[in-house]
Structures are given as C-alpha cells and as structure tokens.
Amino acid sequence: MMRFGRRGLFVTALLSLLPTWLRPAKATTFSDGVGEFRGFVMAAVDRRFGAGSAVADPSDPATFTASLGDKSITTDVTNLFNYLLSYPEEDPDEAVERFVDTIAESRTKIVSDDAIVAVVRNRDYVAGAPGLGHDILHEPLGADLVVVYMADRTNSMSPLTAKDIPGRDLASVWAVALNNLRKWLPKVVSDDAIEPGIAYFVDDNTLLATSLILLDEFWKSIAARFPGDVLIAIPRKDQLFIFDDDGKATTRAAARQLIDVTIEGDFNLLSPLLYARRGGTIVTVAD
C-alpha cells in the first residue's frame, strides 16, 4: 500500500464539492487512460530493476508483474492513477518513483518492532488482499471493521503475516503496535471545515488516520468536543471524520455527503458505510 504525500487541509475542497477536486489530472499526459499510465509505471520499474523486470497482464490494463530477483510482485496501478486524477497538482514522475519505492520495499523480509502499526480496514480488504487473504494478521474491531497489523515503511505500509514476525502472538503484536501509534499523537491535526464534524489526520503519516480510533488517549484528547457517542466516517484509508451522534438527520446527511463525494475520488478507498462508537463499541449506522 503506497503512502501518498501529505494532503494538508484537504477537507475544504471535499465540503464545497469543488469541481477542481474531482477534475481529470494530467489528461494530456495519459490521454489513453490507465493502460497508458501502466506503461509509464512499468518503464520506471524497468529503469530501477533492469529491462524486462515489468511484465504486463494481458487480461487487465491496470496490472503488471514485477520480478525482483527470486520474488515476483503483482501490482495494480489503478489507485495511483485515480490519485493523480484527483490531485492535478501532483508531479506524476515523483508519485511513480514513490510507487516504485514501495515495490522495492516489499523485498524487505525483516520487520522490526518499531515498524509495526495497527490500522483499520474492513473484511473486504482482508479477503481481497492478493496472495495473502486471511493469512494477514488481523482481528475483529466491530461491525465489518478489522484491525490489520502492518509494517510502516518509508514509502508504504505492508500487511503482516505470521511469517513476518515468527514466534509472536497477537496480544504482543497489539501492544507493540499501540505503543508505536502513541508516538504519533503529537502529530495529530484537526480541521473543522466540515462542520458539524471534524476531520483528523496524522501529519507526515496520513495512513495512520484511521488508527486513531484504536487509542484511548485519542478519545480522551477529544472528549471536550465529543463527550458522548460519535459518528465515524472513514471513506478513505487516510481519512477520519467524526461527528456528534446526536440523532439529527442533518448530521447523518452531512456525514453521508462527505462519504459519497470521497468515494467518487476512487482511490485509497476504505468504506462507504457510516459507523458509530457507542459505549466504546463500533457499530454501523443506517443513514
């Protein structure tokens, strides 16, 4: 999973639904769509690892296999392509180089304790992870959400399996992961532009945004603003939106609008559902 650049105060554009947030990016560069973009990425892989390292999948214009020594990695560029569509100010060359870095990092076999983190995903993510599936270290959180353990690397996050941390049980991995997450609490940034809710993200490590709901310390830090139950929207893996669970249709409608416009961006997607934290338990909300 590629780590995208810091997105700053992105929620103003989400709230206002500005066309610029959704407009096609670099359309003249990749006028033929994701297939042409895949070729652009494959060329970068070949430059890094040698000619012929990247082989296109003839059945899917977004997928290719990268051969790195004795390891082959199947890669889909759809997420990165849609990211560039949503953020036209991004330099595609730099974004692709970061993407290639994630492929290189996937060769790393040793996972140190200080790299282990826990993130929030859903059951579909676990079931659909290529070549890993239920081997991924995960445990239920509530509703359809799960806690997934990952290696937090420089340019990416990679789901962990038992083979990556031999001899460890989930309880010890959980403790290590939470301790690592707590180190990021000073980097938590909030933005109230989505009133009546608030957006929270982690500066310099946006893919830890969803992880905040796992920390008692986070909930205590926002208790003055959200003293009771809350609604939670996590449409993307790098986004956390919280609203008062006040029973008002207008609040639920605002949360739903935010989810819907985010889903239209079609990258880094996590869940289209609206959740609530009630009495410390995560449940889904019919909106």
Side-chain angles (χ1 to χ4, degrees):
M1 182 192 307
M2 181 180 174
R3 187 200 305 286
F4 293 114
R6 178 179 178 268
R7 283 273 42 96
L9 302 181
F10 55 85
V11 285
T12 301
L14 282 172
L15 179 66
S16 61
L17 311 186
L18 291 175
T20 53
W21 188 75
L22 296 172
R23 70 178 183 268
K26 316 297 182 185
T28 56
T29 304
F30 305 113
S31 57
D32 291 336
V34 71
E36 182 183 358
F37 181 68
R38 176 182 68 176
F40 184 71
V41 177
M42 289 174 60
V45 171
D46 283 345
R47 287 194 299 272
R48 178 80 65 90
F49 304 111
S53 296
V55 177
D57 181 343
S59 65
D60 185 345
T63 304
F64 69 91
T65 298
S67 297
L68 286 67
D70 60 352
K71 187 172 185 178
S72 294
I73 301 165
T74 300
T75 302
D76 190 315
V77 302
T78 305
N79 197 46
L80 177 58
F81 181 68
N82 289 335
Y83 168 78
L84 291 172
L85 288 179
S86 293
Y87 293 107
E89 77 280 5
E90 290 288 345
D91 184 323
D93 293 295
E94 292 182 1
V96 167
E97 285 304 313
R98 291 196 300 268
F99 187 80
V100 176
D101 286 342
T102 70
I103 295 175
E105 287 178 343
S106 68
R107 294 182 298 179
T108 303
K109 296 181 179 180
I110 299 175
V111 179
S112 61
D113 276 8
D114 60 3
I116 297 173
V117 294
V119 298
V120 176
R121 297 292 182 262
N122 58 19
R123 288 192 291 265
D124 288 344
Y125 172 86
V126 173
L132 294 176
H134 290 282
D135 289 337
I136 290 176
L137 287 177
H138 68 284
E139 50 192 317
L141 176 59
D144 69 329
L145 299 178
V146 294
V147 177
V148 175
Y149 297 101
M150 294 198 176
D152 185 9
R153 298 189 169 107
T154 303
N155 291 290
S156 66
M157 283 196 184
S158 303
L160 298 176
T161 69
K163 294 179 181 178
D164 297 311
I165 45 174
R168 305 287 293 273
D169 59 19
L170 281 180
S172 66
V173 176
W174 167 258
V176 169
L178 288 196
N179 282 335
N180 288 335
L181 292 177
R182 292 185 183 104
K183 298 174 185 177
W184 288 95
L185 284 172
K187 291 279 191 175
V188 174
V189 179
S190 63
D191 188 331
D192 61 2
I194 61 165
E195 191 177 39
I198 294 181
Y200 293 93
F201 64 95
V202 180
D203 198 9
D204 295 330
N205 202 343
T206 54
L207 287 177
L208 293 182
T210 64
S211 305
L212 295 175
I213 68 173
L214 304 177
L215 294 173
D216 290 339
E217 294 86 348
F218 170 71
W219 292 113
K220 290 177 182 177
S221 73
I222 66 171
R225 172 61 183 83
F226 297 103
D229 295 339
V230 298
L231 300 178
I232 300 171
I234 45 176
R236 271 186 9 204
K237 299 181 182 77
D238 56 354
Q239 294 179 339
L240 171 62
F241 303 109
I242 295 180
F243 300 78
D244 283 307
D245 188 11
D246 54 17
K248 295 179 181 178
T250 53
T251 302
R252 293 195 300 274
R256 170 47 56 190
Q257 182 184 43
L258 186 64
I259 292 170
D260 289 346
V261 73
T262 303
I263 294 296
E264 287 183 40
D266 198 22
F267 74 93
N268 251 16
L269 298 185
L270 200 168
S271 176
L273 302 181
L274 180 62
Y275 302 93
R277 184 177 186 261
R278 294 172 177 164
T281 300
I282 303 294
V283 298
T284 54
V285 176
D287 60 320

